[in-house]
């Protein structure tokens, strides 16, 4: 499994997360069927609207200075073998 934290050359993770959230949401705008859209999630919800994600990220700044990173983009890329294992263990719907 390949995992990395993206270092953006063009964006900044020290201010608002609006550009990142909109970038990640762009593919959902192309999908007409709501069932096809990929939803944002938390540890207890699987239907978080993208606007709520942005607000929560932007307001989660307790004990952070203006120069501290506020959010990170983590890329997780499982191999085909790992995906097959997860599908067998948890079912197609969980992925």
């Amino acid at each position: 499994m390949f995992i990395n934290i993206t270092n953006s050359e063009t964006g900044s993770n020290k201010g608002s997360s609006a550009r990142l959230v909109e970038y990640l949401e762009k593919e959902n705008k192309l999908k007409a069927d709501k069932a096809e859209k990929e939803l944002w999630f938390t540890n207890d919800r699987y239907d978080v609207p993208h606007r709520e994600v942005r607000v929560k990220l932007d307001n989660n700044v307790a004990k952070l200075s203006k120069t501290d990173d506020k959010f990170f983009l983590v890329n997780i890329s499982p191999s085909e073998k790992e995906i097959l294992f997860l599908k067998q263990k948890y079912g197609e719907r969980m992925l």
Side-chain angles (χ1 to χ4, degrees):
M1 184 174 307
F2 179 75
I3 301 173
N4 79 324
I5 299 173
T6 301
N7 182 13
S8 176
E9 298 293 326
T10 59
S12 171
N13 60 351
K14 298 181 186 330
S16 175
S17 63
R19 287 180 56 197
L20 176 61
V21 171
E22 287 301 318
Y23 171 76
L24 295 173
E25 186 67 15
K26 74 180 181 310
E27 290 185 22
N28 276 341
K29 292 179 182 178
L30 302 174
K31 298 176 182 176
D33 185 11
K34 187 174 182 174
E36 291 181 19
K37 294 186 178 199
E38 294 185 35
L39 302 176
W40 295 84
F41 61 92
T42 65
N43 60 331
D44 61 345
R45 286 179 52 203
Y46 293 94
D47 60 347
V48 181
H50 70 280
R51 289 174 186 84
E52 183 178 331
V53 170
R54 181 190 52 78
V55 169
K56 296 259 182 172
L57 284 172
D58 289 351
N59 290 327
N60 187 21
V61 294
K63 298 183 182 179
L64 295 177
S65 72
K66 291 183 180 186
T67 58
D68 288 338
D69 296 329
K70 308 285 189 294
F71 55 90
F72 298 92
L73 177 59
V74 179
N75 298 299
I76 303 172
S77 301
S79 68
E80 188 173 334
K81 185 177 176 181
E82 290 166 320
I83 291 172
L84 288 174
F85 171 79
L86 292 170
K87 285 181 180 178
Q88 289 173 350
K89 184 160 176 99
Y90 299 105
E92 185 82 27
R93 182 148 170 84
M94 291 302 292
L95 296 176

